[in-house]
Amino acid sequence: MGTALVYHEDMTATRLLWDDPECEIERPERLTAALDRLRQRGLEQRCLRLSAREASKEELGLVHSPEYVSLVRKTQVLGEEELQALSRQFDAIYFHPSTFHCARLAAGAGLQLVDAVLTGAVQNGLALVRPPGHHSQRAAANGFCVFNNVAIAAAHAKQKHGLHRILIVDWDVHHGQGIQYLFEDDPSVLYFSWHRYEHGRFWPFLRESDADAVGRGQGLGFTVNLPWNQVGMGNADYVAAFLHLLLPLAFEGGYHLESLAESVCMTVQTLLGDPAPPLSGPMVPCQSALESIQSARAAQAPYWKSLQLQDVTPVPTSPSTHSPEGRPPPLLPGGPMCKAAAPASAPSSFLDQPCLCPAPSVRTTVALTAPDTTLVLPPDVIQQEGSALREETEAWARPHESLAREEALTALGKLLYLLDGMLDGQVNNGIAATPASVAAATLDVAIQRGLSHGAQRLLCVALGQLDRPPDLAHDGRTLWLNIGGKEATALSMFHVCTPLPVMTGGFLNCILGLVLPLAYGFQPDLVLVALGPGHGLQGPHAALLAAMLRGLAGGRVLALLEEDSTPQLAGILARVLHGEAPPSLGPSSMASPEDVQALMYLRGQLQPQWKMLQCRPHLVA
């Protein structure tokens, strides 16, 4: 299975026929610029191209009224003056004789993509469409949107494919009120939108775009709005929203042509499984972002168990500027800026500069000490045959008496060869095996080798009975995180231990509430994941951890397994590191009180140094 790209050149036909500064930004170049950039980067060629089809009358009727569909159909024969007069009946919209055809193609592209993914023809995909859809309502065009493409696709997935749980993540500067209205009483669709709000002073100027709009009837808790009240939100603000709001709920239950084209490229690269680029800037969420996140968490807490055990006390916010007389006063150009406050004391000078990773020629490599005929790998995953030079391997093994045995040296040589390929940019990520008796010594060598051969910041997530190497320098270049210790301790901001949670809910809380905030705050350029003796992780849990960490360091992740690990575990990790989605964790479960207590203790201890752990702003008396 691969990645689909759904497109049709006819969608460039509709265009503005009269002078309207508000609508002129919705133009054909929005599509052509994005497609040109995909071609320049060689990404289109890597996708399965699907030509969009028109959505049928019945498919449009899944969310739109027959009268509205008929109204849009009639625009095909209207003259320019009639089109302009009709357009004035709606907010920020224009019609063209080709609008009906283009809008049906835009909706049909989403339907084709849903069918391709849900029938297993492709793993994922992107529909490149216009006109857009998320403002469109049951009987009204709005905000350049004619038919609600995403809502139609969701309704189609429910009707044709029998889906019962659909997540829509709406990432746009504007609130997609059309999707919200269509599903606000439907518990089968969780709608999440982050958008510029400015306390109601930004289009579409709606009270229901605020955090306390959570759905109605049976859909209470299935509408999640994260309103940004200042502009200038950065990487840290969006990562904080992912970790502290979107992902906990998901697991429980662009008009600037240059930026738009670049965003489309990044999306397609991610769908193809390419490593994500390193994030830039300090990973410190600004106070306004934390205020919005906490307001949304507080509004959603009554409906989501994953939030009920956390501190979701609402924080005071600036009063809404809505007035009964009409629209709120418009913002001045630019609006108030959100600037991330610099931490009181930077953890390390290394944290100020992201480290770039070269594009690898090989994505994933598996380095085993002996061939395993039962190991099933994706076709593009390489089984490594090479090994480091014998004398070099012996030199690295010399400080550890346990590594002198032949089987340990063989495993170490293969690990060093793989690690060098990753550090040289020839391999993106990989899996290496080691005898269980020398797992700790092998991990120590891997850390020292990484730090001495190009890694400036190294994150080590050690699972099971693995202690931090005693000779590892305390210079801020290594973040050691042990999951499987006897108790929750933070020996320093770079040395953290926590027991392995006993329930799936506790494991998810640990990953989202501790591991990933620390990891994104640290911004490593190499990640080691070691599954040591007694690690206790099931395959799907280990796969989820690896998949989440793959978003760091340009995807440069090395997983170290014990030789007697099952081939199924190695195979599932290889597939995830190669870019496939991790398997389901099974039925969700709540975290135990002990797991919650351990997590809250560590977060309290580490928040002063690691700002990505913060969920709420500091209140000033």
Side-chain angles (χ1 to χ4, degrees), residues 205-269:
F205 311 112
L206 296 174
R207 178 66 184 81
E208 54 266 36
S209 302
D210 208 351
D212 57 0
V214 297
R216 59 185 180 88
Q218 291 186 328
L220 281 170
F222 290 91
T223 293
V224 185
N225 284 317
L226 179 56
W228 294 137
N229 288 316
Q230 292 185 357
V231 298
M233 298 297 174
N235 289 327
D237 306 307
Y238 282 100
V239 171
F242 266 113
L243 299 182
H244 302 312
L245 183 60
L246 173 57
L247 291 181
L249 304 190
F251 274 113
E252 185 181 344
Y255 299 117
H256 182 274
L257 295 181
E258 180 70 19
S259 60
L260 175 65
E262 194 64 26
S263 298
V264 170
C265 282
M266 290 295 102
T267 301
V268 173
Q269 283 185 270

Side-chain angles (χ1 to χ4, degrees), residues 513-537:
L514 182 68
V515 177
L516 292 181
L518 292 179
Y520 276 99
F522 185 59
Q523 293 182 276
D525 55 355
L526 178 63
V527 178
L528 300 181
V529 181
L531 276 65
H535 62 79
L537 280 191

Side-chain angles (χ1 to χ4, degrees), residues 61 149 327 422:
N149 310 316
R327 286 184 174 181
M422 293 173 58

